[in-house]
Amino acid sequence: MGDGIMMNETQGHLLSRYAECMMWLARYMERTENLTRLLEVTETFVRDANGQIAWHSIVQINSDEQTFLALHPSGDADAVASFYLTEQANPASICATAHAIRENARAVRPLVSIEMWTQLNVFTRWVLDLKEKDIYQNSLSSLCTHIKQDCQAHFGVTEGTLYRDQAWLFYKLGKTLERCDQITRLVDIRYHMLLPQGEAPGSEIDITQWTAVLRSAAAYHAFRRLRPVTITPANIVGFLLKNEGFSRSLAANLRLMDETLALLASYPGLRSRCSQLQECVAELRVTLAEQTAEDIIIRGLHDYMSWIQQQLSQLQGQIASEFWPPVSAVAVQADFQMQA
């Protein structure tokens, strides 16, 4: 188990294994909240062309078709709920993610506050104790609300108690990377699922369904404050991708990622390690700023979202190669890293 070091510890630099674990702790917490919200919103709002709950859209967003069909050939609603909540054989389930969160938090125990550790310990233990029968004995909505609130409590405790050093910066990198990835997947899959066959890009589609897209991103109230009357596909795509005032938008998180890398680069000896990463993020920001939402849709929303996801995947790989050894036995990463 190597303790790769980014720089001499006497200069105050973080152990590589701590940097890796902080990044993945943030990514898994963000991923858990996003998945929980998708389950809750899909059950309540999302319908396919036949008026049925479109559970398959969650599987598509997470690129889990192969794993899901191998375990649940029928693919009904109960199967999707258990697959993503308690399925031990699914490395993408919230239960599996909770295990990864717990082990990464344990690895960085010397860095995190007592409050942060206690909250994570209670939360992950509760999730790991969930059984399939709990989904049926309690409503899916109440379970999702519980998990969401615990994730939000974690982010609040972390914001209030985690010391602002390199550990905090790698935590922020993980959180912003995950948010960028999640929002592009959501926009890509939901947009094409809602676009009726034969309709042109940008066509008007059922407002209720587009409202579900906003709720899936926790964006409904923010969007309605900005646009209290007009709901169009282009407006929603533009808001989720380009609005810097919305905390989960692609633009806002690319900006935060850029700022975080700049802070890391300010540490002695880390500038060269951050330069290529900063160039990659800058390119992403420029391509987004130079296009309107209408441009993106007309030129090919799916292609652009796929390209963004590929760039984010490469960025994660570059961060790993710059800051920690290529093979780590410390950071617990479930094998479910989503593929573009």
Side-chain angles (χ1 to χ4, degrees), residues 104-328:
N104 278 288
R106 193 193 306 276
V108 295
R109 182 64 187 89
L111 303 183
V112 302
S113 66
I114 293 173
E115 294 89 347
M116 187 175 168
W117 168 253
T118 301
Q119 193 274 335
L120 281 171
N121 191 37
V122 172
F123 166 61
T124 54
R125 177 51 54 199
W126 179 80
V127 172
L128 290 169
D129 285 342
L130 282 177
K131 301 292 185 290
E132 189 172 347
K133 62 182 178 63
D134 295 321
I135 302 175
Y136 309 113
Q137 292 177 351
N138 305 280
S139 71
L140 177 60
S141 178
S142 66
L143 284 176
C144 289
T145 297
H146 188 148
I147 295 170
K148 261 194 328 183
Q149 289 176 344
D150 279 352
C151 289
Q152 291 161 359
H154 160 77
F155 291 127
V157 170
T158 301
E159 175 74 25
T161 65
L162 186 59
Y163 187 70
R164 271 26 176 196
D165 59 2
Q166 291 178 41
W168 166 251
L169 295 178
F170 278 98
Y171 181 93
K172 284 183 67 179
L173 275 182
K175 186 174 181 180
T176 53
L177 268 169
E178 189 64 28
R179 284 190 170 183
C180 287
D181 183 75
Q182 291 288 336
I183 203 70
T184 53
R185 290 177 182 277
L186 175 66
V187 169
D188 187 12
I189 298 299
R190 286 284 202 243
Y191 183 89
H192 288 91
M193 186 187 80
L194 293 178
L195 188 65
Q197 191 171 15
E199 291 285 342
S203 301
E204 297 294 332
I205 303 175
D206 182 18
I207 290 177
T208 302
Q209 296 297 290
W210 278 109
T211 297
V213 176
L214 290 169
R215 292 184 185 277
S216 295
Y220 178 74
H221 291 289
F223 179 86
R224 296 299 283 177
R225 281 183 59 191
L226 189 67
R227 295 182 179 274
V229 177
T230 308
I231 294 183
T232 68
N235 283 343
I236 292 174
V237 169
F239 184 81
L240 296 178
L241 295 183
K242 293 175 62 67
N243 191 290
E244 295 254 5
F246 174 53
S247 63
R248 295 180 185 275
S249 77
L250 179 61
N253 283 282
L254 287 175
R255 173 178 50 81
L256 288 172
M257 200 183 306
D258 202 6
E259 293 171 357
T260 303
L261 287 169
L263 288 172
L264 270 178
S266 69
Y267 283 85
L270 296 189
R271 181 178 297 278
S272 61
R273 298 186 181 215
C274 295
S275 59
Q276 187 176 358
L277 303 173
Q278 289 174 290
E279 289 175 7
C280 179
V281 175
E283 180 185 2
L284 292 175
R285 295 185 71 188
V286 168
T287 65
L288 184 61
E290 288 182 340
Q291 303 178 84
T292 66
E294 290 81 1
D295 291 336
I296 293 171
I297 291 170
I298 292 170
R299 292 172 184 171
L301 178 65
H302 173 69
D303 290 341
Y304 184 56
M305 294 296 94
S306 296
W307 181 77
I308 292 284
Q309 289 159 23
Q310 290 167 5
Q311 295 302 304
L312 293 172
S313 178
Q314 290 177 17
L315 186 62
Q316 175 69 65
Q318 290 172 4
I319 291 170
S321 65
E322 290 291 346
F323 292 108
W324 49 79
V327 178
S328 172

